Amino acid sequence: ADGELVQYHYGLKDLVTILFYIFIAIILHAVVQEYALDKINRRLHLSKVKHSKFNESGQLVAFHLTSMVWCLYVVVTEGYLSNPRSLWENYPHVYLPFQVKFFYLCQLAYWLHALPELYFQKVRKEEIPRQLRCIALYLVHIAGAYLLNLTRLGLILLLLQYLAEFFFHMARLVYFTDENNEKLFNVWAVVFVVTRLFTLTLYILVIGFGLPRVENQVLDPERGNFFSFLFNNILFRMSVLLLVCLFQASVMWRFIHFQLRRWREYWNEQSSRKRAAAGAKQPAKLLKRDSGYHENGVVKAENGTSPRTKKLKSP
């Protein structure tokens, strides 16, 4: 009927949909690579290492920008930002609007397509473990939010994560085009810290105060209620919050370590440039010479006479 609201649940048919969009993601990946990134690479003449990192950041900038705009549109139209209580009210959120379900399936398809892209892009062996770790973390978190019916919380967390990642990879692209331009890295540093604080606050709000107040506190996997009853136990709730805080602290520690190393390299480079400039400006030392000039190894005075005193002959 007109105006009827249709909602969706997850099931085995999602695997077929994800497989289809994996092929779509591979095609879009090739289009961005051939018609955008390869043309820019020819002009920049980057080394092999920078060439690989430039391609990685270029692909992720396109993906993060698209996902960020799409995710923001979903959370605004569904009212998750205007009503934060909706993140935990009526949990479990078993039935999803079409745009929420479609967003999650496309996210899973993209990160699964990144696995064969490691072979297609001929990624260096040294970079493969890092990229595999990144892909696995995204898949675990996105699939966990989707299967455990925490899709609303997952949307907000993905929006914050993609915002920070977008500025980081955008800063890398600008740095590869102009190595003296590092202003976007400073912007990324501010955005990263702000998003970490919002992420931690959101975890505390939902886990510490939201889920323990859910009406249905009974374990019921058939209805999608997996663990809300556990949050009634204050010991379990505090343990989860402690793990979340420790994880965010480790992320911040790595970030601070990276920033300190970057600033140390910057100041060392500036001091070396100053020493080089000071050495170039220092005038050469003039050698002290005797008065007059040399002619055939003999010092002559300016008037042509010898600077040595002549011995007077006795009469």
Side-chain angles (χ1 to χ4, degrees):
D2 294 338
E4 181 182 358
L5 181 62
V6 180
Q7 292 185 322
Y8 299 85
H9 188 42
Y10 58 78
L12 292 177
K13 293 181 180 179
D14 289 345
L15 299 177
V16 182
T17 308
I18 291 173
L19 180 62
F20 172 77
Y21 283 102
I22 286 176
F23 293 116
I24 298 297
I26 292 175
I27 294 172
L28 293 177
H29 190 114
V31 169
V32 173
Q33 184 66 43
E34 182 174 355
Y35 292 98
L37 298 179
D38 286 345
K39 291 183 178 180
I40 299 175
N41 273 320
R42 294 190 193 100
R43 296 181 180 180
L44 295 178
H45 303 289
L46 299 175
S47 62
K48 290 184 178 181
V49 176
K50 290 184 178 180
H51 179 84
S52 176
K53 292 182 178 180
F54 184 88
N55 289 337
E56 178 190 357
S57 293
Q59 294 287 347
L60 289 176
V61 161
F63 169 72
H64 287 318
L65 179 61
T66 305
S67 299
M68 190 171 54
V69 174
W70 188 4
C71 187
L72 181 62
Y73 173 79
V74 172
V75 297
V76 170
T77 54
E78 294 296 331
Y80 300 153
L81 284 182
S82 59
N83 183 21
R85 290 179 176 270
S86 61
L87 298 179
W88 61 82
E89 282 183 343
N90 301 321
Y91 178 84
H93 308 132
V94 179
Y95 298 104
L96 308 175
F98 170 76
Q99 59 179 355
V100 175
K101 179 180 177 66
F102 187 54
F103 177 81
Y104 270 92
L105 294 183
C106 290
Q107 292 294 311
L108 291 172
Y110 179 86
W111 290 109
L112 285 172
H113 111 282
L115 295 174
E117 285 295 342
L118 295 176
Y119 173 76
F120 295 147
Q121 295 292 323
K122 297 180 180 179
V123 178
R124 295 185 307 146
K125 293 182 179 180
E126 297 82 5
E127 293 290 325
I128 289 179
R130 178 184 63 83
Q131 295 198 23
L132 285 177
R133 186 167 58 250
C134 178
I135 294 169
L137 287 173
Y138 273 110
L139 286 175
V140 168
H141 284 82
I142 295 173
Y146 183 65
L147 297 176
L148 297 177
N149 302 312
L150 291 170
T151 51
R152 299 179 184 182
L153 176 62
L155 284 172
I156 306 297
L157 294 177
L158 277 178
L159 179 60
L160 295 172
Q161 176 66 18
Y162 286 163
L163 179 63
E165 289 292 311
F166 169 76
F167 278 101
F168 172 73
H169 291 287
M170 195 67 197
R172 280 218 302 185
L173 289 180
V174 175
Y175 175 76
F176 288 141
T177 56
D178 182 11
E179 293 187 355
N180 295 323
N181 191 347
E182 297 187 0
K183 295 180 180 179
L184 268 182
F185 278 111
N186 298 329
V187 176
W188 164 71
V190 175
V191 173
F192 182 86
V193 174
V194 172
T195 54
R196 290 302 100 191
L197 292 176
F198 271 103
T199 299
L200 185 59
T201 304
L202 194 61
Y203 271 119
I204 295 174
L205 181 65
V206 175
I207 296 176
F209 300 98
L211 289 178
R213 298 181 181 181
V214 174
E215 295 180 358
N216 186 9
Q217 297 287 348
V218 181
L219 177 63
D220 191 357
E222 293 183 358
R223 295 185 179 182
N225 192 347
F226 294 101
F227 51 80
S228 64
F229 72 99
L230 294 174
F231 290 101
N232 278 332
N233 188 341
I234 188 172
L235 181 61
F236 178 81
R237 187 163 67 246
M238 295 304 296
S239 300
V240 173
L241 289 176
L242 180 61
L243 289 176
V244 170
C245 292
L246 289 176
F247 177 76
Q248 295 298 324
S250 66
V251 172
M252 285 300 300
W253 169 250
R254 292 178 60 187
F255 169 77
I256 293 172
H257 180 71
F258 169 77
Q259 290 295 327
L260 291 176
R261 184 181 61 185
R262 188 169 71 89
W263 288 339
R264 185 166 58 249
E265 292 175 355
Y266 173 78
W267 288 115
N268 289 337
E269 183 180 356
Q270 291 296 320
S271 61
S272 62
R273 287 181 179 180
K274 289 180 180 179
R275 287 196 298 267
K281 292 181 179 179
Q282 186 176 1
K285 294 182 179 180
L286 297 177
L287 296 176
K288 186 176 180 181
R289 300 182 63 181
D290 297 332
S291 59
Y293 61 95
H294 290 74
E295 181 178 337
N296 295 328
V298 179
V299 179
K300 298 290 184 180
E302 292 182 356
N303 57 2
T305 60
S306 173
R308 294 185 297 176
T309 55
K310 294 182 179 180
K311 293 183 180 181
L312 296 177
K313 295 182 179 180
S314 58

